[in-house]
Amino acid sequence: MEMGKNSQQMESLRSRESKYIDTQPLYQNYWLQKLGGDQGKLRKDCSVLDTTLSLAGLVSSSILNSSSSQLSPKDSSFTSWREIPEVKASGVLASITAQECTLQEAMFEVITSEASYLRSLTVAVNHFSKCRELLDTLTPTEVHTLFSNLLRVREASERFLLELEDRLEEKVLVTNIGDIVLKHCAAFRKVYVPYVTNQMYQESMMQQLVGNEKFTQVLRELEANSMCQRQPLKSFLILPFQRITRLKILLENILTLSSPKSSMSECARSAVGAIGEIVSECDKNVKKMKQIEDLVYLEKRLEFPKTKSLPLISQTRWLVKEGELKEIFVQEPGATTTSLHLHLFNDLLLLSRKRAEGTFSVVDYAKPSKVKAICFQTKSLVFVLQLSENHEGNIKRMILGADNQCELQDWVTAISTPGVTPTC
């Protein structure tokens, strides 16, 4: 019986459209306006993924390609809860406190911003990803890399928005939306994690497609359409990342405004945690994919002329620190030096000579557990690197020199604790 009821509800959601989608601006304009209002919070949340995805560049490009001059009067004024005709007619505004009104506005912003987001997603899907002329310029792999599961993201957003709107229709004084967020978190995780994880490849694909003249010509024509409001495709592709981080901020605001021991507060706290877990999972996956990409790139540049080669790519391997030190050879009548490049991973230390063409000729390697850094007197800029078991199973010692005390201490610390990135 319950399953039949749920099926009827889903069918009802599919058979109607959002009440607010056509009244809201594109999400890029909403994002730009809010970036000025709570810039610190947005940048703090975005930094979780920016550093690994190079999404900072994407966010910047979408913002720089949008300016306040592009916002029409309609787009500049966001509908507020107190302006809804049903709210005015109900007389509820005279019976609630200023803080209660602010709380209602905070919950209503989740609805209007989701409508704005869905409007932009609809442009991204219908105008770009379904454009036959654009698709004809791409291979199936390029299409998948560029648009990923964007359609599924849009569908998840639409279901979420319609249920939020239903809650508002039931009663103008909304008592909770955290439960709706929690209900949709499983669907969010299913679509957002793979989409955000793919964005590293998406950005790379966009750069590659610059050389595809047919693609760039069709894209230029699509971006010139008035429905895009002079927003580039890049700004549409970054939307899911922007939304999932923004949603967490909106829920945190609701949590702050709600009564500490109320059911709304408890629900909002759970919703903040659940969305935060999705953001963290995105971050974890992005870092993992970037680590693998870095290993693939490095492996192509490694040469093993005098040592046994070893596979570099591993799901559990990441780079802790790399850089160049001086290897010092003490011999009569004096000492000579040559450059030695170190790649320190969590489970491997690679020693190599960097060549002019950018490749690395590996001279030795060892497990970090078999490596030890032995310092001399306090102000010395040299230390002994001891491999108790190198790639041949032998003991090897070498004297390495740094340019300054900070660099030396960084390397000594990193070698001693390979799972930690040191700071000076």
Side-chain angles (χ1 to χ4, degrees):
M1 191 71 179
E2 187 66 30
M3 286 180 64
K5 183 180 178 181
N6 289 339
S7 298
Q8 288 176 1
Q9 288 176 339
M10 289 304 296
E11 190 60 39
S12 173
L13 289 175
R14 281 194 292 265
S15 63
R16 67 181 180 83
E17 293 183 354
S18 165
K19 179 180 178 179
Y20 294 98
I21 188 171
D22 292 327
T23 68
Q24 298 304 308
L26 289 179
Y27 195 74
Q28 291 93 323
N29 293 338
Y30 164 81
W31 171 272
L32 182 62
Q33 189 177 73
K34 289 299 175 181
L35 191 69
D38 46 12
Q39 200 169 24
K41 267 192 171 183
L42 274 168
R43 286 189 172 168
K44 180 182 177 183
D45 250 58
C46 292
S47 65
V48 175
L49 294 171
D50 277 350
T51 51
T52 31
L53 255 178
S54 67
L55 286 182
L58 281 174
V59 172
S60 298
S61 67
S62 66
I63 290 172
L64 291 172
N65 279 289
S66 308
S67 66
S68 56
S69 63
Q70 292 179 24
L71 298 175
S72 67
K74 177 183 175 183
D75 282 347
S76 296
S77 59
F78 295 86
T79 308
S80 66
W81 173 77
R82 72 190 74 193
E83 292 172 348
I84 301 173
E86 291 83 355
V87 173
K88 289 181 177 179
S90 70
V92 71
L93 290 172
S95 62
I96 62 174
T97 66
Q99 181 163 337
E100 288 172 333
C101 184
T102 304
L103 176 58
Q104 291 298 315
E105 294 288 7
M107 289 190 285
F108 188 60
E109 186 181 348
V110 175
I111 298 174
T112 55
S113 61
E114 192 69 31
S116 172
Y117 174 54
L118 181 59
R119 180 180 172 183
S120 286
L121 284 177
T122 301
V123 173
V125 170
N126 294 343
H127 186 60
F128 289 104
S129 77
K130 290 185 177 180
C131 175
R132 178 46 53 191
E133 289 181 338
L134 188 69
L135 297 180
D136 286 343
T137 69
L138 303 170
T139 66
T141 299
E142 289 171 338
V143 171
H144 178 72
T145 303
L146 197 59
F147 296 109
S148 188
N149 61 331
L150 193 61
L151 176 59
R152 298 287 174 259
V153 174
R154 185 200 174 282
E155 290 171 349
S157 171
E158 185 173 34
R159 289 191 295 268
F160 178 50
L161 174 60
L162 292 177
E163 195 159 346
L164 288 172
E165 290 185 14
D166 279 348
R167 179 64 57 85
L168 185 60
E169 289 289 328
E170 290 170 7
K171 192 177 180 181
V172 292
L173 196 64
V174 179
T175 57
N176 193 14
I177 63 169
D179 59 326
I180 298 176
V181 174
L182 288 169
K183 178 182 174 182
H184 286 262
C185 272
F188 289 162
R189 186 185 302 274
K190 192 173 182 179
V191 297
Y192 280 103
V193 173
Y195 186 89
V196 175
T197 302
N198 177 68
Q199 282 195 266
M200 180 173 65
Y201 301 102
Q202 192 180 68
E203 166 65 359
S204 176
M205 180 58 65
M206 282 294 292
Q207 292 173 356
Q208 291 177 34
L209 290 173
V210 171
N212 183 333
E213 291 184 10
K214 291 182 179 179
F215 170 80
T216 52
Q217 182 180 347
V218 175
L219 181 61
R220 199 177 299 116
E221 293 171 1
L222 291 174
E223 291 177 340
N225 191 292
S226 60
M227 73 172 66
C228 296
Q229 297 179 22
R230 288 185 281 177
Q231 296 289 348
L233 175 59
K234 274 187 179 183
S235 74
F236 288 94
L237 296 179
I238 197 70
L239 291 171
F241 161 74
Q242 290 178 327
R243 183 54 184 170
I244 197 66
T245 52
R246 178 66 189 169
L247 182 57
K248 182 171 177 284
I249 293 171
L250 295 176
L251 292 170
E252 287 172 340
N253 192 31
I254 293 171
L255 177 59
T256 301
L257 292 167
S258 57
S259 300
K261 295 183 180 180
S262 65
S263 57
M264 180 189 293
S265 176
E266 290 301 314
C267 214
R269 185 174 289 104
S270 297
V272 168
I275 294 297
E277 286 177 6
I278 295 173
V279 173
S280 295
E281 189 173 344
C282 289
D283 179 45
K284 182 180 177 181
N285 280 20
V286 167
K287 284 180 177 177
K288 188 174 181 180
M289 295 305 292
K290 188 174 188 304
Q291 286 163 4
I292 293 173
E293 282 295 298
D294 289 345
L295 290 174
V296 170
Y297 178 65
L298 177 58
E299 188 173 66
K300 291 177 180 178
R301 300 163 67 198
L302 292 181
E303 297 175 356
F304 297 84
K306 296 181 181 180
T307 60
K308 183 181 178 182
S309 63
L310 82 162
L312 192 65
I313 301 166
S314 169
Q315 294 278 349
T316 58
R317 178 173 292 154
W318 67 86
L319 183 66
V320 175
K321 184 176 177 62
E322 75 160 305
E324 208 160 85
L325 294 173
K326 299 181 185 73
E327 184 176 5
I328 303 169
F329 299 93
V330 180
Q331 55 191 13
E332 296 295 339
T336 60
T337 64
T338 185
S339 296
L340 184 71
H341 204 92
L342 284 71
H343 286 92
L344 177 63
F345 301 92
N346 61 307
D347 62 349
L348 177 71
L349 173 64
L350 274 180
L351 305 174
S352 61
R353 312 286 183 201
K354 189 174 182 179
R355 295 183 172 177
E357 62 271 23
T359 59
F360 297 94
S361 179
V362 178
V363 296
D364 213 338
Y365 52 84
K367 293 180 180 179
S369 60
K370 304 294 183 181
V371 179
K372 187 176 181 181
I374 305 169
C375 294
F376 291 102
Q377 62 266 31
T378 308
K379 294 185 178 181
S380 173
L381 294 181
V382 299
F383 67 96
V384 174
L385 182 69
Q386 177 176 291
L387 312 183
S388 59
E389 188 179 321
N390 70 352
H391 75 284
E392 294 178 321
N394 300 324
I395 298 174
K396 187 172 183 179
R397 297 183 184 87
M398 56 189 76
I399 301 174
L400 301 182
D403 289 333
N404 53 65
Q405 192 65 42
C406 179
E407 183 182 43
L408 181 138
Q409 191 57 51
D410 276 359
W411 274 111
V412 170
T413 304
I415 291 167
S416 303
T417 53
V420 178
T421 303
T423 56
C424 185

